[in-house]
Amino acid sequence: TKLQGIELRRITMPLVAPFRTSFGTQRERDILLLRVVTDDAEGWGECVAMTEPLYSAEYVDAAADVVRRFLLPALVRRQESGGGLTANAVGHALAPVKGHRMAKAALEMAVLDAELRALGRSFATELGAVVDRVPSGVSVGIHDSVPELLDAVGGYLDEGYVRIKLKIEPGWDVEPVRAVRERFGDDVLLQVDANTAYTLADARHLAQLDPFDLLLIEQPLEEEDVLGHAQLARALRTPVCLDESIVSAQTAAAAITLGACSVINIKPGRVGGYLEARRIHDLAVAHGVAVWCGGMLETGLGRAANAALAALPGFTLPGDVSGSGRFYRTDVTEPFVLDDGHLAVPTGPGLGVAPLPEVLDELTTRTEWLPL
Ligand SMILES: CSCC[C@@H](NC(=O)CCC(=O)O)C(=O)O
Ligand SMILES: [Mg+2]
């Protein structure tokens, strides 16, 4: 299919409540959306990069810049050399550009959406979904006090979330976990996410989490410390899960081989797209490593694609694929709503969802049309 042009659209979405992690507190999301227009259809991509480079090196202004100055010209060159622009081709065309995986993922997602809409095929079918609904876990931020945390957790359990993930950091880890176990019991599926806040020197401290039967501890050490995670994994009973460290199938293979993780949080934006995400899924399944779908506070666009990915057979742990209402009062698409602790996997062509025009226009802070 021939690409006619791409719209870069920035939207600002207020969060229903501040979301605090070990690297900061978010009160709103400044999101870059890409709308790809081809001869046959249009497709939407969502870039998960945040305003500041605090989760990883990417940030939304840089993503918009790299799309404009490097990724789009690469697609133009590919198109002019006669290469058809399928989503599979996008990854190859963009490979010479180093890094910027979240920007690349958004572009591939938009091309894939357009391609699949033209084919009348859903993301779920394309990726290999085996179920039509996926269990919803929820990520709970750091709170000012344990009582406030317990209220939040109680509310999410009442809503039907099947798994609780607590953000932790030094000074907010063992006590909140103990309090949740004491209040809600041992049967609640419970895990923690440190977002790289600890060092290997904290190993003995983190071993204090072992008695609480956590599903996993997510990314305790810094992104590049794969060997440190392997050493830490030998010191803990709680399974180590990696998030920030896993940026590709190649790094996933290395982390698994080195024993740095026994579970992987797959985020399509972090790894460069849904096709690479599926490669990591396939690799993990081959090694007997469980995977689950992580979240980056996506709108209903990214949420739709994540639900499709989470429906693949290796996604055996509940993901951070929450309802739209976990973060947003008004989603840019029809809201995703929990039904008995699960989200329905969209079945329509492509993403199966699209922005609601009036909502999109209300949330838009900037729009820019780049012709090819
Ligand atoms: C602002 S925190 C974004 C990254 C974080 N994501 C979540 O905690 C889940 C957020 C969501 O449900 O979208 C993670 O490290 O896993
Ligand atoms: Mg994480």
Side-chain angles (χ1 to χ4, degrees):
T1 51
K2 184 167 177 354
L3 212 52
Q4 290 174 10
I6 294 185
E7 178 191 22
L8 275 65
R9 186 175 282 256
R10 290 287 278 274
I11 63 173
T12 294
M13 294 179 69
L15 299 189
V16 293
F19 184 47
R20 185 176 151 199
T21 68
S22 64
F23 59 78
T25 300
Q26 285 182 89
R27 291 174 176 76
E28 65 180 25
R29 282 287 265 126
D30 171 6
I31 299 172
L32 170 66
L33 299 178
L34 301 181
R35 182 172 63 90
V36 152
V37 178
T38 74
D39 287 349
D40 312 320
E42 67 173 42
W44 286 92
E46 176 170 352
C47 181
V48 301
M50 296 185 180
T51 306
E52 299 177 77
L54 300 177
Y55 163 79
S56 68
E58 294 190 73
Y59 60 100
V60 64
D61 283 345
D65 189 64
V66 77
V67 168
R68 211 180 283 119
R69 292 173 53 196
F70 304 104
L71 301 187
L72 197 52
L75 293 193
V76 170
R77 284 196 294 278
R78 164 90 195 190
Q79 186 145 276
E80 285 170 353
S81 69
L85 260 186
T86 61
N88 263 307
V90 165
H92 295 293
L94 303 182
V97 174
K98 302 298 183 201
H100 298 285
R101 291 179 174 88
M102 293 176 180
K104 292 176 175 178
L107 197 44
E108 181 192 88
M109 176 181 168
V111 171
L112 183 56
D113 185 29
E115 192 180 325
L116 293 177
R117 283 179 198 272
L119 289 170
R121 188 183 305 154
S122 69
F123 259 65
T125 302
E126 177 69 12
L127 293 176
V130 294
V131 292
D132 57 12
R133 60 201 284 269
V134 292
S136 276
V138 66
S139 179
V140 184
I142 293 167
H143 282 67
D144 293 337
S145 74
V146 167
E148 287 165 283
L149 170 75
L150 294 178
D151 286 348
V153 171
Y156 292 130
L157 290 172
D158 290 346
E159 281 187 61
Y161 284 104
V162 303
R163 183 270 281 139
I164 298 291
K165 156 171 153 176
L166 303 180
K167 291 292 184 177
I168 61 171
E169 65 182 11
W172 179 269
D173 47 31
V174 177
E175 190 197 348
V177 166
R178 178 184 293 115
V180 167
R181 274 287 182 242
E182 282 173 359
R183 168 73 69 83
F184 300 107
D186 295 337
D187 295 339
V188 171
L189 297 182
L190 185 61
Q191 65 193 54
V192 294
D193 184 359
N195 286 109
T196 76
Y198 296 86
T199 70
L200 212 46
D202 298 310
R204 290 169 57 81
H205 173 74
L206 291 172
Q208 291 179 50
L209 292 171
D210 283 343
F212 297 109
D213 191 27
L214 300 178
L215 287 169
L216 53 93
I217 176 170
E218 188 179 342
Q219 197 72 42
L221 310 180
E222 62 185 338
E223 175 183 337
E224 298 183 12
D225 194 4
V226 176
L227 283 178
H229 280 103
Q231 291 167 295
L232 181 65
R234 288 195 287 276
L236 300 181
R237 284 217 323 270
T238 305
V240 172
C241 171
L242 290 177
D243 172 348
E244 288 89 335
S245 296
I246 308 298
V247 293
S248 63
Q250 184 184 47
T251 53
I256 291 169
T257 302
L258 288 167
C261 62
S262 49
V263 186
I264 292 178
N265 164 341
I266 297 181
K267 292 178 179 174
R270 183 190 75 222
V271 302
Y274 286 86
L275 302 183
E276 186 73 1
R278 180 175 54 187
R279 290 185 201 106
I280 295 171
H281 161 270
D282 296 346
L283 169 82
V285 166
H287 284 269
V289 167
V291 300
W292 53 282
C293 187
M296 292 295 284
L297 290 77
E298 287 93 343
T299 73
L301 294 165
R303 205 159 291 277
N306 286 354
L309 180 71
L312 269 61
F315 285 82
T316 53
L317 288 169
D320 288 343
V321 193
S322 312
S324 297
R326 162 68 186 84
F327 292 106
Y328 305 114
R329 192 178 50 260
T330 307
D331 202 337
V332 79
T333 65
E334 288 298 335
F336 280 81
V337 178
L338 243 58
D339 170 28
D340 186 25
H342 289 64
L343 287 188
V345 177
T347 56
L351 292 169
V353 300
L356 300 166
E358 64 282 356
V359 175
L360 184 62
D361 289 345
E362 190 186 307
L363 297 171
T364 294
T365 54
R366 179 171 178 196
T367 175
E368 187 183 348
W369 172 250
L370 301 175
L372 256 73

